[in-house]
Short mmCIF file of all heavy atoms in Angstrom, two decimals:
data_model
loop_
_atom_site.label_atom_id
_atom_site.label_comp_id
_atom_site.label_asym_id
_atom_site.label_seq_id
_atom_site.Cartn_x
_atom_site.Cartn_y
_atom_site.Cartn_z
N MET W 118 0.81 -1.16 -0.01
CA MET W 118 0.04 -0.04 0.00
C MET W 118 0.89 1.23 0.00
O MET W 118 1.79 1.36 0.81
CB MET W 118 -0.90 -0.03 1.22
CG MET W 118 -1.87 1.14 1.25
SD MET W 118 -3.19 0.84 2.48
CE MET W 118 -2.51 1.86 3.81
N SER W 119 0.65 2.12 -0.87
CA SER W 119 1.48 3.31 -0.97
C SER W 119 0.67 4.52 -0.54
O SER W 119 -0.50 4.71 -0.88
CB SER W 119 1.88 3.51 -2.42
OG SER W 119 2.67 4.66 -2.61
N SER W 120 1.30 5.33 0.31
CA SER W 120 0.71 6.57 0.72
C SER W 120 1.78 7.62 0.84
O SER W 120 2.93 7.32 1.08
CB SER W 120 -0.11 6.43 2.03
OG SER W 120 0.82 6.18 3.09
N THR W 121 1.40 8.87 0.72
CA THR W 121 2.40 9.94 0.82
C THR W 121 2.29 10.53 2.21
O THR W 121 1.23 10.89 2.69
CB THR W 121 2.00 11.04 -0.25
OG1 THR W 121 2.05 10.45 -1.54
CG2 THR W 121 3.03 12.16 -0.19
N LYS W 122 3.41 10.67 2.79
CA LYS W 122 3.53 11.26 4.13
C LYS W 122 4.65 12.35 4.06
O LYS W 122 5.51 12.27 3.26
CB LYS W 122 3.96 10.22 5.21
CG LYS W 122 3.07 8.99 5.29
CD LYS W 122 1.80 9.38 6.02
CE LYS W 122 0.93 8.13 6.16
NZ LYS W 122 -0.38 8.48 6.60
N ARG W 123 4.55 13.33 4.90
CA ARG W 123 5.51 14.37 4.98
C ARG W 123 6.38 14.18 6.22
O ARG W 123 5.86 13.88 7.26
CB ARG W 123 4.84 15.75 4.98
CG ARG W 123 4.17 16.02 3.72
CD ARG W 123 3.55 17.48 3.81
NE ARG W 123 2.76 17.80 2.62
CZ ARG W 123 3.30 18.41 1.55
NH1 ARG W 123 4.52 18.85 1.59
NH2 ARG W 123 2.53 18.65 0.50
N ILE W 124 7.65 14.36 6.01
CA ILE W 124 8.62 14.26 7.17
C ILE W 124 9.35 15.63 7.19
O ILE W 124 9.95 16.05 6.22
CB ILE W 124 9.64 13.14 6.95
CG1 ILE W 124 8.94 11.81 6.76
CG2 ILE W 124 10.64 13.09 8.06
CD1 ILE W 124 9.83 10.66 6.35
N THR W 125 9.30 16.24 8.34
CA THR W 125 9.92 17.57 8.48
C THR W 125 11.41 17.33 8.82
O THR W 125 11.74 16.59 9.69
CB THR W 125 9.27 18.34 9.66
OG1 THR W 125 7.86 18.44 9.39
CG2 THR W 125 9.87 19.71 9.78
N VAL W 126 12.27 17.96 8.03
CA VAL W 126 13.72 17.87 8.23
C VAL W 126 14.25 19.33 8.07
O VAL W 126 13.70 20.15 7.47
CB VAL W 126 14.39 16.95 7.18
CG1 VAL W 126 13.92 15.52 7.39
CG2 VAL W 126 14.19 17.41 5.78
N THR W 127 15.43 19.47 8.68
CA THR W 127 16.14 20.76 8.53
C THR W 127 16.68 20.90 7.12
O THR W 127 16.82 19.93 6.39
CB THR W 127 17.26 20.90 9.53
OG1 THR W 127 18.25 19.92 9.23
CG2 THR W 127 16.75 20.70 10.96
N GLU W 128 17.09 22.17 6.81
CA GLU W 128 17.64 22.39 5.48
C GLU W 128 18.96 21.60 5.35
O GLU W 128 19.25 21.11 4.24
CB GLU W 128 17.89 23.88 5.24
CG GLU W 128 16.58 24.61 5.04
CD GLU W 128 16.86 26.08 4.64
OE1 GLU W 128 17.87 26.38 4.00
OE2 GLU W 128 16.03 26.89 5.07
N ALA W 129 19.72 21.50 6.43
CA ALA W 129 20.98 20.78 6.31
C ALA W 129 20.78 19.27 6.10
O ALA W 129 21.49 18.68 5.24
CB ALA W 129 21.76 20.96 7.67
N VAL W 130 19.75 18.69 6.71
CA VAL W 130 19.49 17.28 6.46
C VAL W 130 18.99 17.12 5.04
O VAL W 130 19.37 16.15 4.37
CB VAL W 130 18.45 16.76 7.54
CG1 VAL W 130 17.89 15.38 7.11
CG2 VAL W 130 19.03 16.75 8.90
N TRP W 131 18.13 18.02 4.57
CA TRP W 131 17.62 17.96 3.23
C TRP W 131 18.80 17.99 2.18
O TRP W 131 18.84 17.20 1.25
CB TRP W 131 16.64 19.08 2.95
CG TRP W 131 16.07 19.04 1.56
CD1 TRP W 131 16.50 19.83 0.47
CD2 TRP W 131 15.04 18.22 1.10
NE1 TRP W 131 15.78 19.47 -0.65
CE2 TRP W 131 14.85 18.52 -0.30
CE3 TRP W 131 14.21 17.31 1.65
CZ2 TRP W 131 13.84 17.93 -1.07
CZ3 TRP W 131 13.25 16.65 0.91
CH2 TRP W 131 13.08 16.99 -0.42
N ALA W 132 19.74 18.89 2.50
CA ALA W 132 20.91 18.98 1.58
C ALA W 132 21.74 17.69 1.57
O ALA W 132 22.17 17.23 0.54
CB ALA W 132 21.77 20.22 1.98
N ASP W 133 21.96 17.18 2.75
CA ASP W 133 22.68 15.89 2.88
C ASP W 133 21.98 14.79 2.13
O ASP W 133 22.64 14.00 1.40
CB ASP W 133 22.93 15.44 4.35
CG ASP W 133 23.98 16.39 5.01
OD1 ASP W 133 24.75 17.03 4.33
OD2 ASP W 133 24.05 16.37 6.28
N LEU W 134 20.70 14.63 2.36
CA LEU W 134 19.91 13.58 1.65
C LEU W 134 20.02 13.78 0.16
O LEU W 134 20.20 12.82 -0.62
CB LEU W 134 18.49 13.59 2.13
CG LEU W 134 18.23 13.01 3.49
CD1 LEU W 134 16.74 13.29 3.90
CD2 LEU W 134 18.53 11.51 3.51
N SER W 135 19.79 15.04 -0.27
CA SER W 135 19.87 15.29 -1.74
C SER W 135 21.23 14.90 -2.28
O SER W 135 21.30 14.40 -3.41
CB SER W 135 19.60 16.80 -1.94
OG SER W 135 18.25 17.09 -1.57
N GLY W 136 22.31 15.12 -1.55
CA GLY W 136 23.64 14.78 -1.99
C GLY W 136 23.87 13.30 -2.07
O GLY W 136 24.71 12.80 -2.79
N MET W 137 23.15 12.53 -1.28
CA MET W 137 23.32 11.10 -1.21
C MET W 137 22.51 10.41 -2.29
O MET W 137 22.81 9.26 -2.64
CB MET W 137 22.87 10.57 0.17
CG MET W 137 23.80 11.02 1.30
SD MET W 137 23.12 10.52 2.91
CE MET W 137 23.39 8.74 2.78
N LYS W 138 21.47 11.07 -2.78
CA LYS W 138 20.60 10.44 -3.78
C LYS W 138 21.27 10.30 -5.10
O LYS W 138 21.91 11.18 -5.58
CB LYS W 138 19.36 11.37 -3.86
CG LYS W 138 18.15 10.72 -4.45
CD LYS W 138 16.92 11.57 -4.25
CE LYS W 138 16.94 12.93 -4.96
NZ LYS W 138 16.63 12.83 -6.39
N GLU W 139 21.11 9.15 -5.69
CA GLU W 139 21.68 8.85 -7.05
C GLU W 139 20.74 9.51 -8.08
O GLU W 139 19.56 9.68 -7.87
CB GLU W 139 21.71 7.35 -7.34
CG GLU W 139 22.59 6.58 -6.32
CD GLU W 139 24.08 6.86 -6.50
OE1 GLU W 139 24.51 7.10 -7.69
OE2 GLU W 139 24.84 6.80 -5.56
N PRO W 140 21.25 9.81 -9.29
CA PRO W 140 20.42 10.42 -10.33
C PRO W 140 19.26 9.41 -10.65
O PRO W 140 19.45 8.24 -10.81
CB PRO W 140 21.35 10.46 -11.51
CG PRO W 140 22.74 10.55 -10.95
CD PRO W 140 22.63 9.73 -9.67
N GLY W 141 18.08 9.95 -10.66
CA GLY W 141 16.84 9.11 -10.97
C GLY W 141 16.30 8.42 -9.80
O GLY W 141 15.23 7.81 -9.86
N MET W 142 16.94 8.49 -8.64
CA MET W 142 16.48 7.81 -7.44
C MET W 142 15.49 8.70 -6.71
O MET W 142 15.72 9.91 -6.54
CB MET W 142 17.70 7.53 -6.49
CG MET W 142 17.37 6.81 -5.23
SD MET W 142 18.87 6.64 -4.19
CE MET W 142 19.17 4.92 -4.40
N THR W 143 14.42 8.12 -6.20
CA THR W 143 13.52 8.86 -5.40
C THR W 143 14.00 8.89 -3.97
O THR W 143 14.82 8.15 -3.52
CB THR W 143 12.09 8.23 -5.39
OG1 THR W 143 12.21 6.96 -4.75
CG2 THR W 143 11.58 8.03 -6.83
N PHE W 144 13.45 9.88 -3.18
CA PHE W 144 13.80 9.93 -1.76
C PHE W 144 13.30 8.69 -1.05
O PHE W 144 13.96 8.19 -0.12
CB PHE W 144 13.23 11.18 -1.13
CG PHE W 144 14.05 12.43 -1.39
CD1 PHE W 144 13.65 13.32 -2.38
CD2 PHE W 144 15.24 12.63 -0.75
CE1 PHE W 144 14.45 14.45 -2.63
CE2 PHE W 144 16.02 13.73 -0.99
CZ PHE W 144 15.63 14.63 -1.99
N SER W 145 12.17 8.11 -1.47
CA SER W 145 11.69 6.88 -0.89
C SER W 145 12.69 5.73 -1.06
O SER W 145 12.98 4.99 -0.16
CB SER W 145 10.35 6.55 -1.45
OG SER W 145 9.82 5.41 -0.78
N GLU W 146 13.23 5.65 -2.29
CA GLU W 146 14.22 4.59 -2.59
C GLU W 146 15.50 4.83 -1.75
O GLU W 146 16.09 3.90 -1.24
CB GLU W 146 14.57 4.59 -4.09
CG GLU W 146 13.42 4.14 -4.95
CD GLU W 146 13.63 4.35 -6.41
OE1 GLU W 146 14.39 5.29 -6.74
OE2 GLU W 146 13.07 3.59 -7.23
N LEU W 147 15.93 6.09 -1.66
CA LEU W 147 17.10 6.38 -0.85
C LEU W 147 16.86 6.02 0.63
O LEU W 147 17.73 5.32 1.25
CB LEU W 147 17.38 7.90 -0.91
CG LEU W 147 18.52 8.39 0.03
CD1 LEU W 147 19.87 7.72 -0.28
CD2 LEU W 147 18.63 9.90 -0.01
N ILE W 148 15.71 6.30 1.16
CA ILE W 148 15.38 5.99 2.57
C ILE W 148 15.31 4.46 2.73
O ILE W 148 15.81 3.92 3.73
CB ILE W 148 14.16 6.72 3.01
CG1 ILE W 148 14.41 8.20 3.10
CG2 ILE W 148 13.69 6.19 4.39
CD1 ILE W 148 13.22 9.06 3.34
N GLU W 149 14.71 3.77 1.79
CA GLU W 149 14.68 2.32 1.86
C GLU W 149 16.13 1.69 1.90
O GLU W 149 16.37 0.79 2.66
CB GLU W 149 13.93 1.72 0.65
CG GLU W 149 12.44 1.97 0.66
CD GLU W 149 11.73 1.50 -0.61
OE1 GLU W 149 12.39 0.80 -1.46
OE2 GLU W 149 10.59 1.86 -0.79
N THR W 150 16.98 2.24 1.06
CA THR W 150 18.34 1.79 1.07
C THR W 150 19.04 2.07 2.41
O THR W 150 19.80 1.17 2.91
CB THR W 150 19.14 2.45 -0.11
OG1 THR W 150 18.50 2.17 -1.32
CG2 THR W 150 20.60 2.10 -0.14
N MET W 151 18.81 3.22 2.92
CA MET W 151 19.39 3.57 4.22
C MET W 151 18.86 2.69 5.29
O MET W 151 19.61 2.25 6.24
CB MET W 151 19.13 5.03 4.54
CG MET W 151 19.81 5.96 3.60
SD MET W 151 19.26 7.72 3.74
CE MET W 151 20.06 8.15 5.25
N ILE W 152 17.60 2.30 5.30
CA ILE W 152 16.95 1.43 6.30
C ILE W 152 17.60 0.07 6.20
O ILE W 152 18.00 -0.53 7.22
CB ILE W 152 15.43 1.38 6.09
CG1 ILE W 152 14.78 2.71 6.54
CG2 ILE W 152 14.83 0.23 6.89
CD1 ILE W 152 13.37 2.83 6.14
N GLU W 153 17.81 -0.48 5.02
CA GLU W 153 18.39 -1.82 4.81
C GLU W 153 19.82 -1.83 5.35
O GLU W 153 20.25 -2.79 6.02
CB GLU W 153 18.34 -2.27 3.35
CG GLU W 153 16.91 -2.68 2.91
CD GLU W 153 16.34 -3.82 3.75
OE1 GLU W 153 17.07 -4.80 4.04
OE2 GLU W 153 15.23 -3.61 4.23
N ARG W 154 20.60 -0.76 5.05
CA ARG W 154 21.95 -0.72 5.60
C ARG W 154 21.99 -0.68 7.07
O ARG W 154 22.78 -1.33 7.74
CB ARG W 154 22.63 0.53 5.02
CG ARG W 154 23.05 0.43 3.56
CD ARG W 154 23.78 1.61 3.12
NE ARG W 154 24.02 1.57 1.65
CZ ARG W 154 24.18 2.61 0.89
NH1 ARG W 154 24.13 3.83 1.36
NH2 ARG W 154 24.45 2.43 -0.39
N GLU W 155 21.04 0.10 7.68
CA GLU W 155 20.97 0.18 9.14
C GLU W 155 20.66 -1.18 9.73
O GLU W 155 21.21 -1.63 10.78
CB GLU W 155 20.01 1.25 9.52
CG GLU W 155 19.89 1.41 11.05
CD GLU W 155 21.16 1.90 11.76
OE1 GLU W 155 22.04 2.54 11.06
OE2 GLU W 155 21.30 1.73 12.97
N LYS W 156 19.65 -1.85 9.16
CA LYS W 156 19.28 -3.18 9.63
C LYS W 156 20.45 -4.18 9.57
O LYS W 156 20.73 -4.90 10.57
CB LYS W 156 18.15 -3.79 8.81
CG LYS W 156 16.81 -3.13 9.06
CD LYS W 156 15.78 -3.77 8.18
CE LYS W 156 14.37 -3.23 8.40
NZ LYS W 156 13.38 -3.84 7.53
N LYS W 157 21.25 -4.14 8.48
CA LYS W 157 22.40 -5.05 8.39
C LYS W 157 23.47 -4.67 9.42
O LYS W 157 24.06 -5.55 10.04
CB LYS W 157 22.93 -4.94 6.98
CG LYS W 157 22.06 -5.64 5.95
CD LYS W 157 22.57 -5.47 4.53
CE LYS W 157 21.57 -6.04 3.52
NZ LYS W 157 21.99 -5.84 2.14
N LEU W 158 23.66 -3.33 9.59
CA LEU W 158 24.65 -2.89 10.56
C LEU W 158 24.27 -3.36 11.97
O LEU W 158 25.13 -3.86 12.70
CB LEU W 158 24.76 -1.40 10.52
CG LEU W 158 25.70 -0.76 11.55
CD1 LEU W 158 27.16 -1.20 11.32
CD2 LEU W 158 25.66 0.81 11.41
N ARG W 159 23.01 -3.24 12.30
CA ARG W 159 22.58 -3.65 13.62
C ARG W 159 22.67 -5.14 13.81
O ARG W 159 23.05 -5.61 14.92
CB ARG W 159 21.15 -3.25 13.83
CG ARG W 159 20.95 -1.74 14.05
CD ARG W 159 19.53 -1.34 14.25
NE ARG W 159 19.41 0.11 14.34
CZ ARG W 159 18.29 0.68 14.78
NH1 ARG W 159 17.22 0.02 15.17
NH2 ARG W 159 18.26 2.03 14.79
N LEU W 160 22.47 -5.92 12.80
CA LEU W 160 22.60 -7.40 12.84
C LEU W 160 24.09 -7.75 13.10
O LEU W 160 24.37 -8.54 13.96
CB LEU W 160 22.12 -8.00 11.55
CG LEU W 160 22.28 -9.53 11.45
CD1 LEU W 160 21.52 -10.24 12.58
CD2 LEU W 160 21.82 -10.03 10.09
N VAL W 161 24.96 -7.05 12.37
CA VAL W 161 26.40 -7.36 12.55
C VAL W 161 26.80 -6.96 13.95
O VAL W 161 27.58 -7.70 14.63
CB VAL W 161 27.23 -6.58 11.52
CG1 VAL W 161 28.72 -6.58 11.82
CG2 VAL W 161 27.01 -7.15 10.12
N GLU W 162 26.36 -5.86 14.44
CA GLU W 162 26.63 -5.43 15.79
C GLU W 162 26.15 -6.41 16.85
O GLU W 162 26.82 -6.73 17.85
CB GLU W 162 26.11 -4.01 16.11
CG GLU W 162 26.90 -2.91 15.34
CD GLU W 162 26.21 -1.54 15.44
OE1 GLU W 162 25.09 -1.46 15.95
OE2 GLU W 162 26.87 -0.60 14.99
N ASP W 163 24.91 -6.88 16.65
CA ASP W 163 24.32 -7.89 17.56
C ASP W 163 25.13 -9.17 17.58
O ASP W 163 25.43 -9.76 18.61
CB ASP W 163 22.89 -8.23 17.17
CG ASP W 163 21.94 -7.07 17.51
OD1 ASP W 163 22.33 -6.11 18.24
OD2 ASP W 163 20.77 -7.07 17.00
N ILE W 164 25.60 -9.64 16.40
CA ILE W 164 26.38 -10.84 16.33
C ILE W 164 27.72 -10.64 16.99
O ILE W 164 28.16 -11.47 17.72
CB ILE W 164 26.59 -11.23 14.79
CG1 ILE W 164 25.25 -11.72 14.25
CG2 ILE W 164 27.65 -12.32 14.69
CD1 ILE W 164 25.25 -11.88 12.75
N ARG W 165 28.36 -9.49 16.75
CA ARG W 165 29.61 -9.22 17.43
C ARG W 165 29.52 -9.22 18.95
O ARG W 165 30.31 -9.80 19.68
CB ARG W 165 30.20 -7.87 17.00
CG ARG W 165 31.11 -7.95 15.82
CD ARG W 165 31.94 -6.70 15.66
NE ARG W 165 32.30 -6.69 14.29
CZ ARG W 165 31.97 -5.77 13.41
NH1 ARG W 165 31.27 -4.75 13.71
NH2 ARG W 165 32.41 -5.86 12.13
N ARG W 166 28.45 -8.56 19.43
CA ARG W 166 28.18 -8.47 20.89
C ARG W 166 27.99 -9.87 21.46
O ARG W 166 28.51 -10.19 22.52
CB ARG W 166 26.91 -7.59 21.12
CG ARG W 166 26.78 -7.18 22.52
CD ARG W 166 25.68 -6.15 22.82
NE ARG W 166 24.62 -5.99 21.84
CZ ARG W 166 24.53 -5.09 20.82
NH1 ARG W 166 25.47 -4.22 20.74
NH2 ARG W 166 23.52 -5.09 20.04
N LEU W 167 27.27 -10.72 20.74
CA LEU W 167 27.03 -12.11 21.22
C LEU W 167 28.39 -12.85 21.25
O LEU W 167 28.67 -13.61 22.18
CB LEU W 167 26.09 -12.80 20.30
CG LEU W 167 24.63 -12.49 20.53
CD1 LEU W 167 23.75 -13.12 19.43
CD2 LEU W 167 24.15 -12.92 21.94
N GLN W 168 29.16 -12.69 20.16
CA GLN W 168 30.41 -13.42 20.11
C GLN W 168 31.38 -12.96 21.20
O GLN W 168 32.14 -13.80 21.73
CB GLN W 168 31.11 -13.23 18.76
CG GLN W 168 30.40 -13.95 17.61
CD GLN W 168 30.99 -13.67 16.26
OE1 GLN W 168 31.52 -12.63 16.04
NE2 GLN W 168 30.86 -14.58 15.34
N GLU W 169 31.35 -11.73 21.51
CA GLU W 169 32.29 -11.19 22.55
C GLU W 169 31.84 -11.54 23.99
O GLU W 169 32.62 -11.72 24.88
CB GLU W 169 32.40 -9.66 22.44
CG GLU W 169 33.17 -9.30 21.18
CD GLU W 169 33.12 -7.78 20.91
OE1 GLU W 169 32.46 -7.06 21.73
OE2 GLU W 169 33.68 -7.31 19.93
N GLY W 170 30.50 -11.62 24.15
CA GLY W 170 30.01 -11.75 25.52
C GLY W 170 29.58 -13.13 25.92
O GLY W 170 29.37 -13.37 27.12
N GLU W 171 29.47 -14.05 25.04
CA GLU W 171 28.97 -15.36 25.42
C GLU W 171 29.83 -16.44 24.68
O GLU W 171 30.38 -16.23 23.67
CB GLU W 171 27.53 -15.53 24.89
CG GLU W 171 26.55 -14.54 25.60
CD GLU W 171 25.12 -14.86 25.15
OE1 GLU W 171 24.79 -15.97 24.69
OE2 GLU W 171 24.30 -13.92 25.30
N GLU W 172 29.89 -17.53 25.35
CA GLU W 172 30.57 -18.69 24.75
C GLU W 172 29.61 -19.42 23.85
O GLU W 172 28.52 -19.84 24.27
CB GLU W 172 31.11 -19.63 25.85
CG GLU W 172 31.94 -20.77 25.35
CD GLU W 172 32.49 -21.63 26.45
OE1 GLU W 172 32.76 -21.06 27.54
OE2 GLU W 172 32.63 -22.80 26.20
N LEU W 173 29.97 -19.50 22.55
CA LEU W 173 29.12 -20.15 21.62
C LEU W 173 29.34 -21.65 21.63
O LEU W 173 30.48 -22.11 21.85
CB LEU W 173 29.31 -19.60 20.20
CG LEU W 173 29.05 -18.12 20.09
CD1 LEU W 173 29.38 -17.61 18.69
CD2 LEU W 173 27.70 -17.71 20.51
N VAL W 174 28.33 -22.45 21.43
CA VAL W 174 28.40 -23.90 21.42
C VAL W 174 28.13 -24.40 20.06
O VAL W 174 27.10 -24.05 19.43
CB VAL W 174 27.40 -24.44 22.46
CG1 VAL W 174 27.45 -26.01 22.47
CG2 VAL W 174 27.63 -23.90 23.84
N GLU W 175 28.95 -25.26 19.58
CA GLU W 175 28.76 -25.83 18.25
C GLU W 175 27.69 -26.93 18.34
O GLU W 175 27.77 -27.75 19.24
CB GLU W 175 30.07 -26.43 17.70
CG GLU W 175 29.95 -26.97 16.25
CD GLU W 175 31.26 -27.40 15.65
OE1 GLU W 175 32.27 -27.00 16.20
OE2 GLU W 175 31.21 -28.12 14.70
N ILE W 176 26.79 -26.95 17.40
CA ILE W 176 25.75 -27.98 17.37
C ILE W 176 26.09 -28.91 16.23
O ILE W 176 26.18 -28.52 15.11
CB ILE W 176 24.32 -27.33 17.15
CG1 ILE W 176 24.01 -26.36 18.27
CG2 ILE W 176 23.25 -28.45 17.04
CD1 ILE W 176 22.76 -25.59 18.06
N PRO W 177 26.23 -30.18 16.56
CA PRO W 177 26.61 -31.13 15.51
C PRO W 177 25.49 -31.26 14.42
O PRO W 177 24.36 -31.22 14.78
CB PRO W 177 26.82 -32.43 16.25
CG PRO W 177 26.62 -32.19 17.68
CD PRO W 177 26.15 -30.82 17.87
N LEU W 178 25.89 -31.43 13.22
CA LEU W 178 24.90 -31.53 12.15
C LEU W 178 24.02 -32.78 12.25
O LEU W 178 22.91 -32.80 11.81
CB LEU W 178 25.57 -31.55 10.71
CG LEU W 178 26.21 -30.21 10.34
CD1 LEU W 178 26.98 -30.38 9.03
CD2 LEU W 178 25.22 -29.12 10.29
N GLN W 179 24.52 -33.79 12.96
CA GLN W 179 23.71 -35.04 13.15
C GLN W 179 22.42 -34.73 13.94
O GLN W 179 21.41 -35.39 13.70
CB GLN W 179 24.49 -36.12 13.90
CG GLN W 179 25.69 -36.65 13.21
CD GLN W 179 26.93 -35.74 13.30
OE1 GLN W 179 26.95 -34.74 14.06
NE2 GLN W 179 27.91 -36.00 12.50
N VAL W 180 22.46 -33.76 14.74
CA VAL W 180 21.24 -33.39 15.54
C VAL W 180 20.14 -32.91 14.55
O VAL W 180 18.97 -33.35 14.66
CB VAL W 180 21.56 -32.28 16.57
CG1 VAL W 180 20.27 -31.73 17.19
CG2 VAL W 180 22.50 -32.80 17.60
N PHE W 181 20.51 -32.16 13.59
CA PHE W 181 19.54 -31.69 12.59
C PHE W 181 19.06 -32.77 11.70
O PHE W 181 17.87 -32.87 11.39
CB PHE W 181 20.17 -30.55 11.76
CG PHE W 181 20.44 -29.30 12.47
CD1 PHE W 181 21.73 -28.94 12.79
CD2 PHE W 181 19.42 -28.48 12.95
CE1 PHE W 181 22.04 -27.77 13.50
CE2 PHE W 181 19.66 -27.34 13.68
CZ PHE W 181 20.97 -26.95 13.94
N ALA W 182 19.95 -33.67 11.33
CA ALA W 182 19.54 -34.82 10.46
C ALA W 182 18.59 -35.70 11.20
O ALA W 182 17.62 -36.18 10.64
CB ALA W 182 20.76 -35.56 10.00
N ARG W 183 18.85 -35.98 12.46
CA ARG W 183 18.00 -36.84 13.28
C ARG W 183 16.60 -36.25 13.41
O ARG W 183 15.65 -36.94 13.41
CB ARG W 183 18.61 -37.05 14.63
CG ARG W 183 17.84 -38.04 15.53
CD ARG W 183 18.51 -38.28 16.84
NE ARG W 183 18.78 -37.02 17.51
CZ ARG W 183 19.89 -36.66 18.14
NH1 ARG W 183 20.88 -37.48 18.12
NH2 ARG W 183 20.05 -35.55 18.73
N ASP W 184 16.49 -34.96 13.53
CA ASP W 184 15.20 -34.28 13.70
C ASP W 184 14.50 -34.00 12.37
O ASP W 184 13.50 -33.30 12.32
CB ASP W 184 15.42 -32.93 14.48
CG ASP W 184 15.85 -33.19 15.92
OD1 ASP W 184 15.58 -34.36 16.41
OD2 ASP W 184 16.47 -32.30 16.50
N GLY W 185 15.10 -34.49 11.30
CA GLY W 185 14.45 -34.22 9.98
C GLY W 185 14.77 -32.90 9.36
O GLY W 185 14.12 -32.45 8.41
N LEU W 186 15.79 -32.26 9.85
CA LEU W 186 16.23 -30.94 9.31
C LEU W 186 17.53 -31.10 8.53
O LEU W 186 18.48 -30.45 8.82
CB LEU W 186 16.38 -29.94 10.50
CG LEU W 186 15.13 -29.69 11.36
CD1 LEU W 186 15.54 -28.84 12.54
CD2 LEU W 186 14.06 -29.02 10.55
N LYS W 187 17.51 -31.93 7.54
CA LYS W 187 18.72 -32.17 6.75
C LYS W 187 19.02 -30.98 5.88
O LYS W 187 18.20 -30.18 5.54
CB LYS W 187 18.51 -33.38 5.88
CG LYS W 187 18.25 -34.68 6.69
CD LYS W 187 17.96 -35.84 5.81
CE LYS W 187 17.59 -37.07 6.70
NZ LYS W 187 17.19 -38.14 5.93
N ASP W 188 20.35 -30.87 5.44
CA ASP W 188 20.77 -29.85 4.55
C ASP W 188 19.97 -29.85 3.31
O ASP W 188 19.84 -30.76 2.61
CB ASP W 188 22.26 -29.98 4.14
CG ASP W 188 23.16 -29.85 5.37
OD1 ASP W 188 22.72 -29.43 6.43
OD2 ASP W 188 24.36 -30.16 5.20
#
């Protein structure tokens, strides 16, 4: 579903966004790209935090095969 919403930004933010936009790209597409990058960055940060803070345990593949979760 598509709808038009207005987002208030300062002139400086508008200028920065305009400078980041590729030719022919809409602001919606730019924001979508920025959201995906942020999601990926947060995932990487979460994984790093887990790796640094917890001892990870390897799960043998046989467990998955036995439960019907084969590759």
Side-chain angles (χ1 to χ4, degrees):
M118 185 167 99
S119 179
S120 67
T121 301
K122 304 285 182 188
R123 294 183 182 264
I124 302 171
T125 305
V126 296
T127 64
E128 287 186 35
V130 170
W131 181 262
D133 286 343
L134 286 172
S135 296
M137 294 174 69
K138 198 167 68 76
E139 301 288 330
M142 180 184 254
T143 66
F144 280 101
S145 184
E146 292 168 334
L147 173 62
I148 293 169
E149 287 174 13
T150 300
M151 294 169 73
I152 289 169
E153 285 304 312
R154 285 182 186 154
E155 181 65 21
K156 285 179 180 179
K157 289 175 184 176
L158 177 62
R159 288 181 184 192
L160 176 61
V161 168
E162 289 172 351
D163 288 346
I164 291 169
R165 269 197 202 116
R166 193 170 26 258
L167 284 171
Q168 288 175 333
E169 291 171 359
E171 298 183 23
E172 185 176 328
L173 301 178
V174 178
E175 184 176 342
I176 300 173
L178 291 177
Q179 294 81 10
V180 172
F181 293 109
R183 183 178 54 226
D184 293 337
L186 302 172
K187 299 176 184 174
D188 296 347

